[in-house]
Amino acid sequence: PGSKHTLECDAFTTWTPADVTIAKKKGGYTRLASTADYTMQMPCMSIIDGAWADAHPDKMKAIIKALGLAGDQVRSFSDALDFAARVSAVVYKEGDANYWKTYYLGSTEPDKKQNKVYLGGSQSFNLADAATIVGMGNEAKPLDRYRVTYEMFGKILTKLYPEQMNGMANYDDIVDFSYLKAVINENGELAKGKTEASTATYAKGNIVTDQVSKKAYNIKFGLNSSVIDKSSYPILDDIFNSTVQSENALTVFVYGHTDDLGDAKDNGAHNQSLSEDRANAVKHYLHNKGLSEDRIQVKGCGSGEPIAVTNGNKSDERNRCVEIIQGH
């Protein structure tokens, strides 16, 4: 009491207009992640009273159809984007139409401290995107990304705030995609979209030029085998869940490592081949779960790139691992 304290923010999570305000009035921050890259993290979901929805199915379908059509229009026609920008200026009472259009498209500008920062960056979802988000798209391996996101973050929040969360509602009990399914079935042309569902071009080759995350995992295999032990499935499932969050943004690089036991017999040829096979085994597991093959790059490092080096001894068992890197 009676004393003053100044609190400094180390990081923040927000969107336009707050990101622009912080950059222009304070500055000094750098972007770690953005929905401009992680586009699959910003679908348009409706939270509606279930009883009302059941009583007004035609209105529910009309809302979903209108959202899909509007997203398609904004993505396809500049006039529609201009109109949406004017509406945003009125609704949010911040800036003018040019402001909202600029930061919808994304803009690199100097902040207050003259650091170049990327601000804004967004995307309008069409009906094809909505279908893809919940596993109703035209993918070879449909994946309910919304379920993955809900269950992953729900688990984290339950661990951090067990009393406040008081358990987590079962996913299937709180979502209802029957209206979306009906709109897709009834509006074939709209479901295709004037523009395709969100796609990304992933890095080719197994060299990371821009690393975002990196971690070595002790994934167990049979002795001198590339068959994954079932005890490691939960680890791989966690890897899968985390990589789904960065879809449309980052390539997943899978690097296999071994220790150097037996290298003297064949100059490391066996360990090199084994590390490649193990990296590919992880790739196949993640692909079978739903990750696009185009997104996963593999590399066998053998014993030549040890994760742990103890007094020059590469035979440390910690080197029998698979390293997962996300980047470009």
Side-chain angles (χ1 to χ4, degrees):
S3 62
K4 270 190 171 183
H5 299 275
T6 300
L7 301 178
E8 286 289 335
C9 176
D10 293 324
F12 63 89
T13 301
T14 188
W15 49 84
T16 302
D19 64 333
V20 179
T21 300
I22 293 171
K24 299 296 185 181
K25 293 189 176 182
K26 182 174 177 61
Y29 293 95
T30 186
R31 186 180 66 161
L32 295 180
S34 169
T35 50
D37 300 321
Y38 295 72
T39 53
M40 283 297 184
Q41 289 301 298
M42 287 296 285
C44 182
M45 295 289 178
S46 297
I47 301 175
I48 294 178
D49 178 82
W52 185 92
D54 291 340
H56 303 88
D58 290 340
K59 286 186 172 64
M60 283 294 300
K61 290 191 289 185
I63 290 170
I64 294 170
K65 182 178 178 180
L67 288 171
L69 181 59
D72 227 5
Q73 296 285 309
V74 169
R75 279 166 56 164
S76 304
F77 304 108
S78 59
D79 287 350
L81 175 56
D82 291 340
F83 176 77
R86 293 196 298 273
V87 170
S88 295
V90 173
V91 170
Y92 298 112
K93 298 180 173 60
E94 179 87 25
D96 56 16
N98 184 62
Y99 174 97
W100 286 99
K101 182 176 180 179
T102 296
Y103 295 116
Y104 170 83
L105 297 173
S107 177
T108 300
E109 304 173 5
D111 66 6
K112 186 176 181 179
K113 297 183 179 179
Q114 299 306 304
N115 299 312
K116 290 281 189 178
V117 291
Y118 183 86
L119 301 172
S122 190
Q123 178 174 304
S124 295
F125 274 48
N126 60 17
L127 195 59
D129 290 313
T132 300
I133 279 284
V134 298
M136 295 182 188
N138 296 319
E139 299 174 293
K141 294 179 179 296
L143 171 63
D144 188 342
R145 294 156 177 84
Y146 196 49
R147 176 188 291 273
V148 172
T149 301
Y150 174 83
E151 293 180 347
M152 177 181 174
F153 283 100
K155 187 184 299 183
I156 293 172
L157 289 172
T158 300
K159 185 176 181 180
L160 291 174
Y161 310 106
E163 293 183 6
Q164 291 87 339
M165 289 293 290
N166 191 29
M168 187 174 74
N170 183 277
Y171 178 79
D172 293 312
D173 293 335
I174 65 168
V175 299
D176 182 355
F177 296 130
S178 61
Y179 303 106
L180 173 61
K181 188 174 183 180
V183 173
I184 292 170
N185 291 337
E186 294 169 10
N187 300 272
E189 286 302 311
L190 179 59
K192 293 178 183 177
K194 286 187 175 296
T195 52
E196 296 295 326
S198 297
T199 57
T201 301
Y202 296 110
K204 299 300 180 184
N206 52 35
I207 303 301
V208 185
T209 58
D210 183 13
Q211 178 179 297
V212 174
S213 68
K214 177 179 179 179
K215 186 176 180 181
Y217 293 87
N218 182 23
I219 297 170
K220 295 180 180 179
F221 298 88
L223 182 63
N224 281 324
S225 168
S226 60
V227 177
I228 300 171
D229 190 284
K230 291 182 179 179
S231 64
S232 291
Y233 287 178
I235 298 174
L236 290 168
D237 290 342
D238 286 342
I239 293 171
F240 170 78
N241 290 339
S242 66
T243 54
V244 166
Q245 310 313 312
S246 57
E247 190 174 23
N248 280 19
L250 304 175
T251 299
V252 179
F253 297 87
V254 182
Y255 288 1
H257 298 267
T258 69
D259 58 32
D260 65 342
L261 293 177
D263 273 1
K265 296 178 182 179
D266 58 6
N267 294 319
H270 173 72
N271 277 337
Q272 176 63 35
S273 177
L274 181 60
S275 68
E276 292 172 3
D277 290 344
R278 287 177 171 177
N280 275 303
V282 171
K283 173 181 178 176
H284 293 151
Y285 185 94
L286 296 176
H287 172 58
N288 287 335
K289 289 278 290 183
L291 286 192
S292 167
E293 271 196 305
D294 290 343
R295 192 181 169 203
I296 312 169
Q297 298 295 322
V298 298
K299 178 182 177 182
C301 300
S303 61
E305 299 178 31
I307 296 295
V309 179
T310 307
N311 296 324
N313 177 18
K314 290 188 293 183
S315 297
D316 192 309
E317 65 179 9
R318 288 174 293 175
N319 291 320
R320 302 170 204 158
C321 67
V322 171
E323 191 175 31
I324 304 294
I325 301 172
Q326 292 195 71
H328 306 281

